[in-house]
Amino acid sequence: MKFFGKTEKAFFISRPNRFTITCTLNRKVVNAFLPNPGRLWELLLPGTPVYLEGVENPTRDLAFTAVAAERDGQRIVLHTLRANDVARHLVEEKAIPGIEEYRVIRNEVTVGHSRFDFLLKKGNRELLLEVKSCTLFSDRMAMFPDAVTSRGTRHLHELARMSDARSATAVLFLVHTARPDFFLPDFHTDFEFARAMADARERVLFLPVSVRWRRDLSIRPSEAKLLQVPWQVLEKELHDRGSYLLILRLPADNELSVGSLGPVRLRKGFYVYAGSAKRNLSRRIERHRRLGKKLFWHIDFLRAVSDFLVALPVRSEDDLECDMAGAMARIADWSPSGFGSSDCDCPSHLFGFENHPLSLRPFHDLLQHFRMERLVDKYALTR
Ligand SMILES: [Zn+2]
């Protein structure tokens, strides 16, 4: 079944705000509405093909809606508003393992202060179904969410509370790629959501279902696949500790006096620092964000003269800091010697880049390796 009209291929340039992207279409620069609140960092890289649907109503500000992006030659649907149409179709086609016998009674169901996507029924038994659109994936693993969603966490708490003998509750994670076999809540990015999902495990049915989008943006329900949730990974890894990559921007060349390291010449550009915290990882990251603190670590001296761009936690029971530094060394443009590595044998834990690391595919591959792929190997996950 098709869910979209005719689309045109454009190329991503930038995302000036959450719901707008700028791209080139037939050599012209155009803006398009992006109906997706997620970060989409690893999908929307400069030059990425995106598929735009023309908007028929000309009173709308933007004449185009971005409905899909391309990754490795595959279409990945971005249109979260239409994910519900896809979900309804899959339910009606009995394509979702575990809820084949339910039928759709209503959509947009209000319960208490929250609205859920569907009310389904099987005989007298009701099922409240919430749909989440998932576009974050590596080769073998998909994760949700890609940004902190307190609304999503609240939904999980409410679904857990509402599940009882008469009515069941479920979350359908619609995974827009056929690649992965496994699904986990992204405990690196949204620790609270992951904890809520782990806590709700016995009360809420979690259904991560992947679909394969064809070139004409249609799917075949028979290809829908239920992904495995390896709960044992969460049991071991869901703690506020591990490693992180900190991205800073140094606005001008600088000669810094860095504590025990002495004077260090740093050229302007982007810097990635690999660090770790054996506990209170969130608090450690908050500390890096703050200015006006006592300068203690090497990185504090650089932070004092830089812009804080983002911190990317890699929660883990393992100490990955030096492995991550080693991997960064292979993709960085330069690396100031001895920075942040006085307690280990690494040449450095600081890496310089001409361009924003989040605009670079190798950087995302590295991050996804440590956040996702590594877990598949570590826990020897198999279908
Ligand atoms: Zn090291």
Side-chain angles (χ1 to χ4, degrees):
M1 178 157 166
K2 289 188 72 167
F3 297 91
F4 301 96
K6 191 175 165 302
T7 58
E8 294 188 80
K9 188 175 186 173
F11 295 91
F12 178 80
I13 300 173
S14 64
R15 188 177 183 181
N17 63 57
R18 191 190 276 201
F19 294 110
T20 306
I21 61 169
T22 302
C23 30
T24 47
L25 174 68
N26 302 326
R27 299 205 188 87
K28 282 210 294 263
V29 175
V30 300
N31 283 334
F33 170 54
L34 176 68
N36 191 314
R39 277 176 177 164
L40 308 170
W41 280 339
E42 70 296 326
L43 279 183
L44 296 180
L45 300 176
T48 297
V50 288
Y51 293 88
L52 309 183
E53 195 179 56
V55 176
E56 279 173 23
N57 178 358
T59 59
R60 281 268 294 273
D61 285 355
L62 300 172
F64 297 101
T65 297
V67 302
E70 199 173 295
R71 178 166 164 193
D72 305 324
Q74 298 287 316
R75 310 283 198 274
I76 310 298
V77 162
L78 304 174
H79 203 309
T80 53
L81 304 176
R82 247 173 268 172
N84 283 8
D85 299 343
V86 180
R88 173 187 274 270
H89 181 59
L90 293 176
V91 173
E92 285 169 351
E93 293 293 316
K94 308 187 183 309
I96 303 177
I99 60 168
E100 297 97 328
E101 289 167 32
Y102 284 88
R103 61 199 170 84
V104 178
I105 301 297
R106 268 206 324 271
N107 54 352
E108 309 252 319
V109 191
T110 303
V111 183
H113 295 295
S114 286
R115 199 163 62 179
F116 298 96
D117 292 316
F118 292 102
L119 176 66
L120 311 183
K121 243 178 165 174
K122 174 178 82 172
N124 282 331
R125 191 158 169 76
E126 292 184 340
L127 178 76
L128 210 47
L129 179 71
E130 175 68 6
V131 180
K132 305 281 181 202
S133 207
C134 168
T135 60
L136 176 63
F137 59 88
S138 59
D139 265 338
R140 294 171 290 174
M141 173 91 62
M143 282 190 159
F144 178 92
D146 76 348
V148 173
T149 167
S150 43
R151 180 171 171 271
T153 303
R154 198 184 70 225
H155 268 151
L156 292 187
H157 289 311
E158 285 168 344
L159 288 169
R161 217 169 33 238
M162 284 184 300
S163 127
D164 57 34
R166 203 171 71 84
S167 45
T169 58
V171 179
L172 170 65
F173 295 100
L174 192 61
V175 180
H176 294 277
T177 173
R179 263 159 78 179
D181 287 320
F182 308 100
F183 175 91
L184 281 174
D186 189 349
F187 57 95
H188 308 292
T189 297
D190 194 342
F191 190 68
E192 293 306 323
F193 181 89
R195 194 149 60 181
M197 184 165 157
D199 289 347
R201 180 186 166 183
E202 304 294 331
R203 301 182 63 79
V204 179
L205 184 61
F206 291 105
L207 299 165
V209 171
S210 73
V211 292
R212 185 155 75 88
W213 288 100
R214 289 161 184 270
R215 297 183 75 79
D216 64 353
L217 295 179
S218 69
I219 57 160
R220 295 198 182 155
S222 59
E223 291 179 344
K225 179 177 75 175
L226 185 64
L227 308 188
Q228 258 182 46
V229 182
W231 295 104
Q232 75 274 26
V233 175
L234 281 188
E235 277 159 27
K236 289 282 275 188
E237 307 280 353
L238 188 56
H239 302 284
D240 193 21
R241 66 180 179 218
S243 308
Y244 56 91
L245 297 173
L246 184 68
I247 307 184
L248 304 174
R249 179 173 47 211
L250 183 65
D253 292 353
N254 206 316
E255 180 159 324
L256 277 180
S257 180
V258 181
S260 55
L261 196 60
V264 182
R265 293 174 82 94
L266 293 174
R267 54 194 266 211
K268 77 169 199 179
F270 296 88
Y271 284 90
V272 177
Y273 172 75
S276 68
K278 293 212 184 324
R279 54 199 180 92
N280 294 328
L281 180 58
S282 306
R283 204 187 297 164
R284 172 69 61 84
I285 286 171
E286 249 342 279
R287 186 186 178 280
H288 285 309
R289 195 185 287 272
R290 279 198 323 268
L291 285 169
K293 66 206 171 206
K294 200 158 159 246
L295 305 182
F296 180 69
W297 284 294
H298 291 169
I299 188 64
D300 294 344
F301 294 85
L302 175 58
R303 168 66 188 107
V305 294
S306 305
D307 305 319
F308 179 102
L309 298 185
V310 65
L312 302 160
V314 179
R315 292 197 162 82
S316 176
E317 58 160 4
D318 306 309
D319 199 349
L320 302 173
E321 178 185 2
C322 293
D323 288 350
M324 280 164 47
M328 288 301 307
R330 289 192 284 278
I331 64 166
D333 295 325
W334 70 90
S335 178
S337 181
F339 201 105
S341 59
S342 32
D343 300 336
C344 62
D345 298 329
C346 299
S348 179
H349 274 213
L350 185 69
F351 305 93
F353 289 84
E354 298 278 359
N355 298 304
H356 197 316
L358 287 180
S359 71
L360 307 171
R361 167 61 59 199
F363 181 82
H364 289 288
D365 289 345
L366 184 157
L367 187 62
Q368 294 199 330
H369 167 76
F370 285 100
R371 282 180 164 184
M372 302 187 194
E373 286 296 296
R374 204 189 135 265
L375 295 172
V376 179
D377 295 327
K378 177 182 174 187
Y379 291 90
L381 301 179
T382 50
R383 275 302 283 190

